[in-house]
């Protein structure tokens, strides 16, 4: 059985504890590899290596740091096929999705931040009498922690480590214990990419042990975290007394607002994708579909008809569109969310239970039918709590004001999707919705320069473009007179 390794000080090694954790393939329920069960002892070693590496890395010309990221991106491109299969096996996502989205985006993240650091200039301010110059010196923070979730493993891992490294920091990174494989593969190519020993360290293990040790370590000065809202709150509580810089990308309960004057076919097709892509396990997925009264029955009928025909299959097969959810525990949590919705009076329009793909290798895998529920009000648990699976609810609204009230009736505020052909209404609605991102007549269209993040319980701070480089640097204002 393959044993994955930590990367500490340029060396691939097991945990100090000598213990291992099983890594399970969600499509089969079988253990297929193991990861080091790391703890504070491993994090201490990684921090010591990073402290040693920081002076050289942080003063290296930005062109040279960018070149390292580009060489690493080339490694991702060279091994794309292997990464696609690894990501699908580790996470349960269809091979087609890993190939179209996850792995190309991981490569782009590395390339994008190589380019971004080359264009990241700092500001200067000169008063009217030109007596002084103020300029902003943006310094790397030092050693930073990057903690990423399981839903888009390499995509979100690289989204954090690329700007952190480009800005001149040394990184202690922890991928999710459930999906460690692609981060392990990437760590094997760091040296070939030219990244000096100790600059990039990967610690595998449990969130409560390895993750907690990163968050608590006094020499780690900033934490970039993507994951669940309750874990984010715990990290905020832990880091507050140390005044660490914090970027939190957390959960969502995203509304799709479908007005009667939408382009029906486009709204329908994209809502199916925005609801069920990656088995609904994308923080940006729509989970509350709000439909205007006069369109409700027609939209519902067409939606249910199409979703009921979606086939859940073996993620390793080329034609599969819906694969496995990430773990047994997550499958059971989703099923209990569906049960609670039924008990609260919800009607299951399709799905509602486990799925059995035809391939017998998947007999013990973790599969759920795409599920649509109606008949529940906004305050019901299923309309308030994040399910993070292939489960959506339908609610009606009778006018724009009510649509916005329903959309905002949530502790979350990550993304909203708005469907209308009335542009003024589209802009008004986007402005009124509490969300970090609003898509009008589209979904998941990304430009890596734009600010990415949520409001309310969906997080603090923004990632993407110069926002990420600002997060990973500390600005210092320097002022000097122009005359002696
Ligand atoms: P978790 O919060 O459970 O875990 C996220 C990461 O944090 C994992 O690496 C986990 O490790 C680690 N972790 C857990 N506990 C601690 C701790 N005490 N200290 C430090 N690290 C810890 O989230 P999931 O992995 O379950 O991911 C799903 C969640 O992520 C959903 O809520 C989703 O909405 C959110 N998400 C948000 C996005 C956004 O951009 N806003 C994007 C994608 C997902 P381990 O897995 O080993 O326990």
């Amino acid at each position: 059985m393959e044993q994955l390794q930590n990367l500490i000080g340029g060396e691939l090694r097991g945990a100090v504890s000598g213990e291992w954790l099983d890594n399970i393939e969600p499509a089969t329920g079988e253990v297929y590899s193991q990861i080091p069960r790391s703890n504070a002892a491993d994090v201490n070693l990684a921090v010591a290596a990073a402290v040693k590496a920081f002076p050289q890395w942080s003063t290296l010309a930005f062109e040279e740091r960018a070149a390292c990221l580009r060489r690493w991106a080339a490694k991702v491109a060279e091994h794309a096929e292997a990464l696609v299969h690894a990501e699908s096996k580790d996470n349960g996502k269809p091979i087609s999705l890993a190939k179209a989205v996850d792995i190309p985006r991981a490569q782009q993240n590395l390339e994008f931040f190589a380019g971004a650091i080359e264009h990241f200039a700092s500001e200067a301010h000169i008063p009217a009498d030109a007596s002084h110059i103020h300029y902003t010196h943006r310094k790397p923070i030092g050693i930073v922690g990057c903690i990423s979730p399981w839903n888009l493993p390499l995509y979100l891992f690289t989204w954090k480590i690329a700007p952190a490294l480009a800005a001149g920091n040394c990184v202690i990174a922890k991928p999710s214990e459930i999906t460690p494989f692609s981060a392990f593969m990437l760590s094997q190519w760091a040296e070939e990419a030219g990244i000096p020993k100790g600059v990039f360290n990967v610690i595998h293990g449990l969130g409560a042990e390895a993750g907690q040790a990163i968050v608590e370590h006094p020499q780690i000065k900033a934490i970039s975290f993507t994951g669940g809202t309750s874990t984010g709150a715990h990290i905020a509580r832990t880091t507050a007394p140390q005044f660490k810089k914090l970027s939190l990308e957390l959960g969502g309960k995203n509304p799709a607002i479908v007005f009667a004057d939408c382009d029906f076919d486009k709204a329908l097709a994209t809502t199916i994708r925005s609801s069920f892509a990656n088995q609904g396990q994308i923080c940006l997925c729509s989970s509350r579909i709000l439909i205007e009264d006069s369109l409700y029955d027609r939209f519902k009928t067409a939606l249910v008809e199409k979703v009921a025909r979606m086939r859940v299959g073996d993620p390793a097969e080329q034609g599969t569109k819906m694969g496995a959810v990430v773990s047994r525990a997550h499958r059971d949590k989703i099923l209990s969310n569906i049960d609670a919705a039924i008990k609260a009076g919800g009607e299951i329009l399709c799905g509602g239970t486990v799925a059995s793909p035809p391939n017998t290798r998947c007999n013990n895998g973790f599969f759920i039918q795409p599920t649509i529920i109606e008949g529940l009000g906004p305050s019901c648990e299923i309309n308030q709590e994040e399910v993070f699976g292939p489960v959506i609810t339908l609610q009606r609204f009778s006018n724009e004001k009510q649509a916005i009230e329903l959309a905002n009736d949530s502790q979350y505020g990550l993304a909203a999707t708005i469907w209308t052909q009335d542009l003024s209404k589209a802009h008004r609605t986007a402005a009124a919705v509490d969300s970090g991102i609003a898509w009008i007549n589209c979904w998941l269209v990304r430009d890596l320069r734009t600010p990415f993040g949520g409001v309310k319980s969906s997080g603090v701070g923004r990632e993407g473009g110069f926002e990420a480089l600002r997060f990973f640097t500390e600005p210092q204002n320097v002022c000097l007179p122009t005359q002696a």
Side-chain angles (χ1 to χ4, degrees):
M1 173 141 348
E2 184 163 10
Q3 289 187 320
L4 279 54
Q5 312 276 309
N6 289 333
L7 178 68
I8 299 179
E11 191 192 333
L12 290 163
R13 49 181 292 172
V16 172
S17 70
E19 291 181 44
W20 299 90
L21 297 163
D22 288 340
N23 186 27
I24 294 170
E25 179 180 2
T28 62
E30 304 285 332
V31 176
Y32 79 101
S33 58
Q34 291 188 312
I35 63 165
R37 182 169 183 171
S38 313
N39 58 32
D42 305 275
V43 172
N44 288 342
L45 289 177
V47 170
V51 166
K52 233 167 121 185
F54 181 69
Q56 191 221 337
W57 181 249
S58 57
T59 52
L60 201 63
F62 66 80
E63 294 94 334
E64 290 190 44
R65 293 200 298 262
C68 290
L69 291 179
R70 290 200 174 97
R71 283 193 292 268
W72 223 5
K75 284 277 159 202
V76 171
E78 183 188 332
H79 296 279
E81 191 66 17
L83 280 165
V84 163
H85 286 272
E87 204 73 303
S88 167
K89 185 167 186 156
D90 218 18
N91 171 277
K93 68 177 66 215
I95 279 223
S96 55
L97 187 68
K99 190 171 188 157
V101 176
D102 293 73
I103 304 309
R105 176 58 192 277
Q107 182 190 334
Q108 275 166 26
N109 287 340
L110 295 167
E111 284 166 354
F112 174 82
F113 282 107
I117 198 65
E118 292 171 335
H119 298 273
F120 187 52
S122 53
E123 315 87 59
H125 302 275
I126 302 170
D129 65 0
S131 59
H132 289 78
I133 300 173
H134 298 260
Y135 66 88
T136 306
H137 183 187
R138 288 201 164 265
K139 304 177 184 179
I141 294 173
I143 304 169
V144 300
C146 296
I147 302 176
S148 53
W150 48 257
N151 60 333
L152 300 164
L154 195 64
Y155 174 135
L156 290 175
F157 188 78
T158 49
W159 184 234
K160 293 185 181 303
I161 62 165
L165 292 169
N169 300 283
C170 291
V171 170
I172 316 290
K174 194 195 97 58
S176 170
E177 144 228 346
I178 308 173
T179 54
F181 215 103
S182 51
F184 168 63
M185 291 172 76
L186 191 74
S187 69
Q188 289 178 301
W189 307 318
E191 193 179 344
E192 278 180 78
I195 296 172
K197 292 181 197 320
V199 167
F200 171 68
N201 304 274
V202 183
I203 302 288
H204 292 280
L206 298 170
E209 297 174 359
Q212 184 71 19
I214 292 172
V215 166
E216 283 177 357
H217 201 292
Q219 284 171 283
I220 298 180
K221 298 296 182 197
I223 301 288
S224 172
F225 169 83
T226 298
T229 292
S230 58
T231 316
H234 171 77
I235 290 174
R237 276 194 299 275
T238 310
T239 54
Q242 293 184 31
F243 306 109
K244 286 189 189 189
K245 227 175 160 182
L246 210 53
S247 166
L248 300 174
E249 299 296 337
L250 309 176
K253 192 76 207 173
N254 308 312
I257 306 172
V258 185
F259 286 104
D261 60 1
C262 68
D263 175 331
F264 186 88
D265 291 340
K266 214 167 156 191
L268 182 66
T270 309
T271 301
I272 292 171
R273 208 163 55 82
S274 73
S275 302
F276 298 112
N278 205 34
Q279 297 72 248
Q281 302 167 130
I282 302 179
C283 54
L284 305 165
C285 274
S286 313
S287 53
R288 296 179 294 144
I289 316 300
L290 314 176
I291 310 162
E292 191 159 5
D293 259 336
S294 58
L295 189 72
Y296 188 91
D297 290 336
R298 183 175 163 224
F299 196 84
K300 167 181 129 177
T301 306
L303 185 67
V304 172
E305 197 252 323
K306 283 199 183 317
V307 172
R309 280 197 278 122
M310 287 170 79
R311 288 286 154 259
V312 177
D314 183 346
E317 286 172 8
Q318 291 295 343
T320 297
K321 293 276 186 307
M322 288 276 293
V325 297
V326 78
S327 67
R328 183 186 302 277
H330 192 53
R331 178 198 65 189
D332 294 347
K333 186 229 146 210
I334 296 169
L335 292 173
S336 79
N337 290 143
I338 296 173
D339 272 354
I342 296 170
K343 287 199 182 93
E347 186 186 343
I348 304 288
L349 300 178
C350 66
T353 185
V354 294
S356 313
N359 191 337
T360 52
R361 115 184 165 94
C362 296
N363 283 356
N364 296 318
F366 317 129
F367 296 89
I368 295 191
Q369 296 171 353
T371 298
I372 306 180
I373 303 173
E374 76 165 350
L376 292 172
S379 57
C380 254
E381 192 181 305
I382 195 117
N383 282 323
Q384 290 294 332
E385 298 302 324
E386 187 182 37
V387 177
F388 215 55
V391 180
I392 58 171
T393 62
L394 309 186
Q395 295 177 73
R396 297 172 176 270
F397 64 85
S398 50
N399 54 46
E400 196 178 314
K401 181 168 172 287
Q402 199 192 4
I404 291 161
E405 279 167 7
L406 278 175
N408 289 344
D409 189 351
S410 169
Q411 65 162 314
Y412 296 106
L414 187 54
T417 311
I418 298 158
W419 293 98
T420 174
Q421 296 194 80
D422 175 341
L423 259 190
S424 305
K425 183 160 68 181
H427 287 296
R428 271 198 314 272
T429 308
V433 167
D434 300 333
S435 70
I437 301 150
W439 276 294
I440 297 169
N441 299 329
C442 62
W443 178 71
L444 208 60
V445 178
R446 294 279 293 118
D447 178 326
L448 303 191
R449 294 169 299 181
T450 59
F452 179 90
V455 299
K456 303 201 282 193
S457 300
S458 290
V460 175
R462 292 292 180 275
E463 297 185 322
F466 291 159
E467 299 281 348
L469 294 176
R470 281 188 201 106
F471 174 75
F472 283 115
T473 49
E474 202 64 84
Q476 178 189 36
N477 182 67
V478 180
C479 173
L480 70 157
T482 51
Q483 278 150 40

